[in-house]
């Protein structure tokens, strides 16, 4: 992904997926649905029209057939065919009187009307007697009635005849009459006249009754409208009449669709055989069919709209979910880019998004792992360690909690003489050993260089110490090329709110007290360290004020002849007096700090100058001058211009350079810079200074270096003579002294505290002693008394 495209995206407006989806999916599907709806409505309307016509047709046919069957059944019920034979006998029986015949015919009328349901009016006509008998009695027969027609009278089988419609149509009048001729031989002697009930006609022929504006009519064979439905629509009736006129004018009455006054009508015809071949004609406006189907259409549209709406909502919800998921993923990625890997995504869908989230969570985990761990040792880094430890402490309320700080002795030395890769190898080995030595409740951190920290919850300190010692033992034997020594500082976490980094520092403070000590492996931090810590803080913050305000001063410790006690020299030792408490702070508490922060440069120069000033004052006072030695910190010895500075000082105070002796500590040799050191010593000696090796045999010096380095005097460290009462030790000291003498070195033995040490040293051949057995370091005034006046004096501790 290039920067350009990113920029481009920022300037153009972001197009939301949801909106895109609406434009690309929802709108087209709505339009498509609408089109489909329209098409389906048109198709269904068309199909509906056709099927309506079909259904009208079949209904009509069905009903006609039913009517046919019904009437046939009625006739059978009334036993009408047998009866007409009997009636023929009666009408033609000349033995019967008119009154008798009339009586028999009357009862026959009653019997028939009793049996028949659908015929409301029953008459029997006796042609010979001109007698027309009904339920209400005998009426005179009028031959002009529509059904008594010459053309029809020849028929011997029963038939229907429809009455023509007249203007003054009487609703009660029978529109259809069923004529059953009464036959005697070849003659028709009478008729059973059955008036078809109007309701029955409606029941049989009222077709497609749902249409309000429908008109139907029955047209007789003579072309007359003999019957039509009631409450019809005038306009439709117009159409029907028009159709009827067309038919009368010789055009066929066929099924069709016709337009009239801008409206469409469907016309249907059906010949009804049973009704004397009358024709059923009916007309329905298409509009009305449509209104019926409009309801269906509107229903379809409404259902479609609701479905589209539901589908759109579902799609919208679905896209919203996808968009939300995408936004979650975006936020998470943006957090990752800001370096926040704390949260993993919580989407658990079992689809592509779920897979994407899994992948991203994988990346988050990996990045978090990398952010929290040191890749070399696989340990937590400082900040992650602090967080994990805090959580562990909060969780475990029962145990005690310790931080163990582990430091490898002289690790930089290992890195210097071997390759870096060897250093790394050793670090990894130590890391693995530590992991092995503590159980799974421990948390491991690496603070860089050679510093490891381990958090261990514990109940018994002894168990913890045993593990520390075990780890120490394993570390010692982990490397064949050299012995690795690690020291351990232990500090408890007292409260879950303790700053873990401070606890680590405290463990470090404890560790420093045993670092380099081959006999002690670990130290446990306690309140005393707090005191030291306070002093440290005080030293850090007050050093410059102290120097400017003269709170640093010099004490002089005599160097004496072992036999005579004569003072042959002095060592200038710096002190710091805190004027607020009157406490005198010993150099052991501030020199290591100043060596770290560089202030030792200023302090040493102050002491050197002060010593020169003292020497000058002695000369001015006319004392027998004795040399004063000053300490040069390792930091200063390689400081460029140190030789010139000494030279400048002796010149400024006009004193002989051999009166200012220069003590260089044996530990300055550690830095593998023998040649540089030799150079400095040579230069100092060239300028006339005498150079002393301080703290010889305190642990670092190599005899070889001693042989080649041009020191004038060797100061044997207190450590060597501390146990001089042991005979082997005494022999060893004797050997060392002899060896140094062979090298033509002068010797000073330091730290001789008591008489028996002094006595023991006498026969080792050593001559000059600096120690409490003669004197502790003295203030200037006292020293002068001690060295030059021999008056009563007071030492620093008295
Ligand atoms: P050092 O140079 O080895 O000084 C000798 C230390 O041994 C002094 O401690 C002295 O008081 C102590 N001492 C002498 N005789 C005896 C004895 O019989 N018994 C015991 N227990 N101690 C004895 P001090 O004055 O506390 O100095 C400690 C160290 O501080 C010095 O060790 C030196 O390394 C450093 N130091 C002192 N003043 C200066 C200074 O001005 N500049 C630098 N760079 N370091 C200084
Ligand atoms: Ca010294
Ligand atoms: Ca010393």
């Amino acid at each position: 992904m290039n920067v350009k495209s990113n920029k481009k995206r920022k300037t153009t407006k972001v197009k939301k997926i949801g909106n895109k989806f609406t434009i690309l999916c929802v709108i087209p599907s709505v339009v498509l649905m609408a089109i489909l709806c329209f098409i389906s409505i048109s198709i269904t309307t068309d199909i509906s029209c056709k099927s309506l016509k079909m259904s009208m047709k079949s209904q009509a046919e069905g009903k006609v057939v039913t009517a046919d069957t019904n009437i046939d059944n009625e006739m059978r019920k009334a036993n009408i065919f047998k009866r007409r034979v009997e009636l023929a006998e009666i009408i033609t029986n000349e033995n019967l009187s008119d009154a008798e015949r009339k009586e028999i015919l009357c009862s026959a009328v009653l019997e028939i009307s009793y049996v028949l349901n659908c015929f409301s009016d029953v008459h029997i006509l006796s042609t010979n007697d001109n007698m027309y008998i009904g339920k209400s009695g005998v009426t005179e027969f009028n031959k002009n009635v529509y059904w008594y027609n010459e053309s029809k009278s020849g028929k011997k089988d029963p038939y229907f005849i429809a009455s023509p419609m007249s203007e003054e149509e009487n609703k009660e009048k029978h529109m259809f009459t069923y004529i059953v001729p009464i036959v005697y031989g070849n003659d028709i002697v009478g008729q059973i006249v059955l008036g078809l009930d109007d309701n029955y006609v409606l029941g049989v022929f009222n077709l497609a009754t749902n249409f309000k504006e429908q008109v139907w009519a029955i047209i007789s064979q003579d072309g007359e409208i003999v019957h039509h439905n009631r409450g019809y629509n005038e306009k439709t009736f117009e159409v029907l009449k028009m159709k009827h006129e067309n038919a009368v004018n010789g055009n066929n009455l066929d099924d069709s669709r016709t337009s009239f006054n801008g409206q469409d009508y469907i016309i249907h015809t059906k010949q009804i055989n049973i009704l004397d071949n009358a024709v059923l004609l009916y007309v329905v406006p298409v509009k009305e069919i449509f209104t019926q189907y409009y309801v269906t259409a509107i229903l379809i549209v409404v259902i479609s709209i609701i479905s589209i709406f539901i589908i759109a909502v579902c799609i919208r919800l679905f896209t919203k979910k996808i968009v939300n998921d995408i936004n979650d993923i975006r936020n998470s990625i943006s957090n990752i880019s800001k370096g926040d890997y704390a949260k993993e995504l919580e989407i658990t869908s079992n689809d592509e998004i779920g897979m994407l989230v899994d992948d991203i969570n994988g990346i988050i985990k990996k990045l978090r792992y990398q952010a929290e761990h040191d890749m070399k040792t696989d340990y937590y880094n400082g900040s992650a360690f602090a967080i994990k430890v805090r959580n562990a402490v909060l969780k475990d309320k029962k145990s005690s909690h310790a931080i163990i700080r582990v430091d490898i002795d002289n690790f930089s030395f290992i890195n210097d003489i071997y390759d870096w890769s060897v250093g790394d190898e050793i670090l990894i080995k130590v890391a693995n050993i530590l992991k092995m030595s503590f159980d799974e409740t421990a948390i491991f951190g690496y603070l860089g260089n050679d510093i490891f920290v381990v958090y261990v919850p514990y109940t018994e300190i002894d168990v913890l110490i045993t593990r520390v010692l075990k780890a120490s033992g394993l570390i010692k034997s982990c490397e064949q090329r050299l012995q690795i020594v690690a020291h351990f500082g232990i500090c408890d976490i007292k409260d879950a709110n303790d700053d873990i980094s401070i606890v680590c520092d405290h463990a470090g403070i404890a560790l420093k007290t045993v670092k380099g000590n081959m006999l002690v492996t670990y130290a446990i931090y306690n309140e005393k360290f707090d005191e030291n810590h306070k002093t440290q803080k005080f030293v850090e913050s007050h050093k410059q004020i102290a120097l400017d305000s003269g709170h640093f001063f010099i004490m002089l410790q005599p160097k004496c002849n072992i036999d005579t006690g004569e003072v042959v020299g002095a060592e200038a030792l710096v002190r710091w007096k805190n004027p607020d408490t009157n406490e005198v702070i010993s150099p052991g508490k501030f020199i290591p700090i100043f060596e770290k922060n560089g202030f030792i440069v200023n302090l040493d120069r102050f002491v050197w100058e002060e010593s020169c000033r003292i020497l000058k004052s002695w000369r001015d006072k006319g004392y027998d001058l004795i040399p004063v030695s000053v300490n040069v910190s390792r930091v200063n010895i390689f400081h460029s211009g140190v030789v010139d500075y000494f030279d400048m000082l002796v010149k400024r105070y006009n004193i002989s350079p051999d009166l200012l002796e220069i003590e260089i500590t044996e530990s300055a040799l550690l830095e593998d810079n023998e040649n540089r050191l030799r150079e400095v010593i040579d230069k100092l000696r060239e300028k006339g200074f005498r150079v002393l090796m301080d703290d010889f045999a305190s642990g670092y010096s190599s005899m070889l270096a001693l042989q080649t380095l041009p020191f004038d005097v060797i100061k044997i460290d207190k450590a060597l003579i501390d146990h001089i009462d042991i005979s082997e030790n005494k022999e060893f000291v004797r050997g060392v002294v002899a060896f140094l003498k062979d090298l033509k070195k002068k010797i000073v033995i330091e730290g001789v505290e008591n008489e028996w040490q002094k006595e023991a040293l006498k026969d080792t051949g050593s001559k000059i002693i600096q120690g409490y057995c003669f004197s502790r370091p003295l203030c200037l005034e006292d020293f002068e008394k001690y060295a030059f006046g021999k008056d009563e004096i007071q030492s620093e501790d008295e």
Side-chain angles (χ1 to χ4, degrees), residues 559 571-573 629-632 663-665 692-695 715 750 770:
K559 296 174 186 173
E571 179 176 4
L573 296 161
S629 63
V630 292
N631 293 287
V632 180
E663 295 192 9
I664 298 169
T665 174
L692 290 72
M693 177 190 257
D694 201 359
D695 307 328
K715 291 184 81 178
E750 264 189 307
Q770 180 186 341

Side-chain angles (χ1 to χ4, degrees), residues 557 571 574-575 591 604 631 694-695 718 750-751 753 772:
Q557 187 177 29
E571 179 176 4
V574 73
R575 298 287 181 269
I591 295 244
D604 268 0
N631 293 287
D694 201 359
D695 307 328
K718 178 176 179 291
E750 264 189 307
E753 289 190 327
Y772 294 172

